[in-house]
Amino acid sequence: MASYTYTQLYGTGSIGETISSGVEKVFTFTNPSGSSYFTMETIPSSSGFYEASSPKNFSGSFIVSASMGLVTSSYIASIVVQPGTQSFKFTPAITVTGTTYRLRGTGGYSLEISSTAAVPVNTALPGITGGDTIGSVLTTTNGTWTNSPTSYAYQWKRGATNIGTNANTYTLVTADAGTNITCVVTATNAIGSTNATSGIFVASALYAPYDTGVPFIYSQEGLPFYTGYTAICEPGGYQANEPATLTYQWYRDNILQIGQTGTTYLTTISDQNYFIKVKETATNSQGSIFQFSNEIFVNEQ
């Protein structure tokens, strides 16, 4: 929304007072002797200004000689004015910015009303939401702005380092763990641009995996389990801020079976009448944890 400053160029009246768009202001000024013909004009030519109230937003001794309304050229209206102190009602239009309105008389300008268009001004900072673990997607709001921004740009930051792309979302990566994440939102209108930085979002620090469920082995052939059946491992549950890699080692009666490192195990006659189980290990850059599965007894065919 624009504001307007009016100046009394000669005669009496306030100088440099600012009013808001859409708010009616009554100006009083002295009409110099011999200045009887006035024209209300816009500098530069503008469309969209509208005087809605009767009698065409002029008061006092003003006599309207041309209709007011939607501006289609630089001249809004011509008026005949009696000498002496006069009043003039002016209601700036919200849609008009960067325009000067002048009440011009035969002796020169009597009243000049200029709009002051402004760059966007932030009144509420952008805010970041999302999970704090690696792989989580963060989203920033635009924040709240005055002066009608027409577009927004985004720059994510890890501390002082630029990261991400010009988007209102960002996916956390390993390098973000334990750091401060912010987003600089740039609001732009026809006059210029202004930046506003979000509050700090702290990404969770890296930590070693911890278990949330044990691995489980079973056979598609069902139970009882016989020689020649294949044992299948269903992975256990793990929580970590950095993805964990799972590895496997199979055991026969607590004896490690060399080379058996997959998620399945085909039993042979050597396993007959023994229990089998698997050790599952979860590892990331911060450490590892292992768990043993349940045991299955291998029956004789």
Side-chain angles (χ1 to χ4, degrees):
M1 180 180 292
S3 61
Y4 294 76
T5 300
Y6 73 91
T7 304
Q8 182 78 35
L9 299 182
Y10 62 75
T12 60
S14 300
I15 296 178
E17 181 179 350
T18 300
I19 57 176
S20 299
S21 301
V23 177
E24 183 182 81
K25 180 70 178 179
V26 178
F27 305 95
T28 301
F29 64 97
T30 301
N31 178 29
S33 176
S35 296
S36 59
Y37 183 83
F38 282 75
T39 300
M40 183 65 180
E41 62 180 358
T42 61
I43 309 295
S45 176
S46 175
S47 62
F49 177 73
Y50 185 73
E51 293 284 356
S53 63
S54 177
K56 306 302 181 185
N57 270 1
F58 289 91
S59 64
S61 302
F62 283 32
I63 301 173
V64 179
S65 61
S67 62
M68 295 285 287
L70 188 65
V71 178
T72 56
S73 67
S74 64
Y75 294 97
I76 296 178
S78 296
I79 53 178
V80 177
V81 184
Q82 302 297 320
T85 300
Q86 309 295 335
S87 293
F88 164 64
K89 292 182 181 179
F90 179 80
T91 305
I94 292 175
T95 55
V96 176
T97 58
T99 302
T100 295
Y101 301 93
R102 287 175 176 170
L103 192 62
R104 185 171 64 180
T106 56
Y109 292 109
S110 290
L111 189 69
E112 179 173 290
I113 307 167
S114 301
S115 70
T116 305
V119 297
V121 175
N122 181 258
T123 58
L125 292 175
I128 297 175
T129 57
D132 63 356
T133 57
I134 303 307
S136 297
V137 177
L138 304 184
T139 302
T140 183
T141 64
N142 290 330
T144 304
W145 302 82
T146 61
N147 300 325
S148 304
T150 55
S151 65
Y152 297 94
Y154 310 91
Q155 178 59 68
W156 292 87
K157 288 181 174 291
R158 179 194 308 124
T161 302
N162 291 340
I163 55 177
T165 59
N166 181 19
N168 68 338
T169 59
Y170 172 73
T171 302
L172 291 173
V173 298
T174 301
D176 298 321
T179 66
N180 294 336
I181 305 297
T182 56
C183 186
V184 178
V185 177
T186 302
T188 300
N189 64 12
I191 307 305
S193 300
T194 306
N195 296 335
T197 301
S198 71
I200 293 173
F201 183 95
V202 181
S204 176
L206 295 179
Y207 52 84
Y210 64 86
D211 62 276
T212 58
V214 297
F216 177 76
I217 59 174
Y218 64 96
S219 171
Q220 288 183 338
E221 292 90 346
L223 296 176
F225 193 89
Y226 292 102
T227 302
Y229 282 15
T230 298
I232 301 171
C233 178
E234 183 176 293
Y238 299 91
Q239 178 66 49
N241 191 23
E242 179 185 28
T245 300
L246 300 180
T247 57
Y248 299 89
Q249 295 174 307
W250 289 85
Y251 287 76
R252 178 196 303 139
D253 271 11
N254 296 321
I255 298 174
L256 177 64
Q257 302 303 292
I258 303 299
Q260 299 297 325
T261 58
T263 57
T264 61
Y265 178 79
L266 177 62
T267 58
T268 67
I269 195 170
S270 299
D271 301 308
Q272 187 172 290
N273 295 320
Y274 291 102
F275 285 96
I276 61 170
K277 62 183 177 182
V278 68
K279 177 184 178 181
E280 182 181 68
T281 302
T283 304
N284 68 12
S285 65
Q286 304 302 300
S288 63
I289 187 174
F290 68 85
Q291 299 184 90
F292 280 100
S293 72
N294 58 308
E295 294 183 328
I296 294 181
F297 184 75
V298 182
N299 291 280
E300 198 178 326
Q301 282 282 23

